[in-house]
Amino acid sequence: MSFFDKIELWDQKLLLLINGCNSEVLDVIMWIVTSKSFGIPVYVVFALVFYKIFGVKKALIFCALVIVAVSISDLTAKYCFKEVFERFRPTHHEILKGKLHIVNNYRGGKYGFISSHASNMFSFAVMVFLLIREKIRWLLLPLILWASLISYSRMYLGVHYPSDIIVGALVGSVIAGIVYYLAKQFNWIKC
């Protein structure tokens, strides 16, 4: 068995374990957590925190940098991974789709490597932390837990393998780091 076959087997087993620990209450919670509107209050809070701590000009720049990082993460997940690797989501995998607990008949798009949710949320979390860390260092853990909860919901719903989530989180984090580094080089952060 090759290295990639072992990863595939591990991915399937772990996904079935996560997806198999379901309940009606968790179905509702994970459905809400995975929705696009779930993050809106968090985005608004951080925009207000940026404003309160740094003022209007810097808050606008910081919000723009977060949007740039998340947008690049989203486009990278789609065009550099999903459309290149064309790895079927578990819900579209011939063997797995009959074994998964499906919520609200949601199966996601055809391809799932990497998770856009994981990439985007970790990009958001890392970018916000990098921008605010000198003022509020303790925010790293809550930001990572928030991004992890959203990422976990994708496995719970059966639309992503653990490796989709792990690689997505890494890609999003790296993109946030690159955007932050470039912003520092161009002195956009010190305005």
Side-chain angles (χ1 to χ4, degrees), residues 31-45:
W31 185 254
I32 292 168
V33 167
T34 207
S35 72
K36 291 185 188 272
S37 60
F38 179 73
I40 292 173
V42 174
Y43 310 143
V44 171
V45 164

Side-chain angles (χ1 to χ4, degrees), residues 4-16:
F4 292 109
D5 290 336
K6 288 178 184 176
I7 289 177
E8 181 76 20
L9 186 61
W10 172 82
D11 248 359
Q12 290 177 5
K13 285 182 177 182
L14 188 53
L15 172 69
L16 289 171

Side-chain angles (χ1 to χ4, degrees), residues 1-187:
M1 182 179 278
S2 75
F3 173 73
F4 292 109
D5 290 336
K6 288 178 184 176
I7 289 177
E8 181 76 20
L9 186 61
W10 172 82
D11 248 359
Q12 290 177 5
K13 285 182 177 182
L14 188 53
L15 172 69
L16 289 171
L17 177 69
I18 292 167
N19 178 260
C21 294
N22 57 68
S23 71
E24 289 182 23
V25 172
L26 277 176
D27 286 357
V28 172
I29 292 169
M30 291 302 153
W31 185 254
I32 292 168
V33 167
T34 207
S35 72
K36 291 185 188 272
S37 60
F38 179 73
I40 292 173
V42 174
Y43 310 143
V44 171
V45 164
F46 279 103
L48 292 172
V49 167
F50 285 159
Y51 167 72
K52 180 85 172 153
I53 293 174
F54 301 108
V56 174
K57 182 180 178 185
K58 212 167 188 179
L60 289 172
I61 291 169
F62 283 9
C63 288
L65 288 171
V66 171
I67 290 168
V68 166
V70 171
S71 298
I72 292 170
S73 292
D74 194 57
L75 293 170
T76 300
K78 180 173 178 160
Y79 295 110
C80 298
F81 285 88
K82 286 181 181 156
E83 292 187 6
V84 171
F85 291 97
E86 296 184 340
R87 181 185 189 196
F88 287 111
R89 288 181 189 265
T91 50
H92 295 283
H93 187 280
E94 284 302 315
I95 296 170
L96 288 181
K97 66 183 178 182
K99 297 179 179 180
L100 292 169
H101 170 72
I102 305 296
V103 177
N104 295 333
N105 204 30
Y106 176 66
R107 298 179 191 289
K110 191 174 184 180
Y111 304 121
F113 183 77
I114 59 176
S115 166
S116 295
H117 276 75
S119 181
N120 297 346
M121 293 307 100
F122 275 88
S123 184
F124 174 87
V126 170
M127 192 68 195
V128 167
F129 175 71
L130 290 172
L131 292 169
I132 210 166
R133 69 183 170 182
E134 291 178 16
K135 301 286 184 181
I136 310 174
R137 293 193 75 78
W138 60 265
L139 272 178
L140 179 61
L141 183 60
L143 283 165
I144 296 302
L145 290 174
W146 176 76
S148 297
L149 174 64
I150 293 171
S151 298
Y152 178 83
S153 76
R154 306 304 287 164
M155 294 181 291
Y156 178 91
L157 295 172
V159 295
H160 281 294
Y161 294 103
S163 63
D164 298 343
I165 300 299
I166 293 166
V167 177
L170 290 172
V171 167
S173 298
V174 167
I175 288 171
I178 291 169
V179 170
Y180 179 79
Y181 172 79
L182 291 173
K184 277 187 79 169
Q185 296 305 307
F186 289 104
N187 286 322

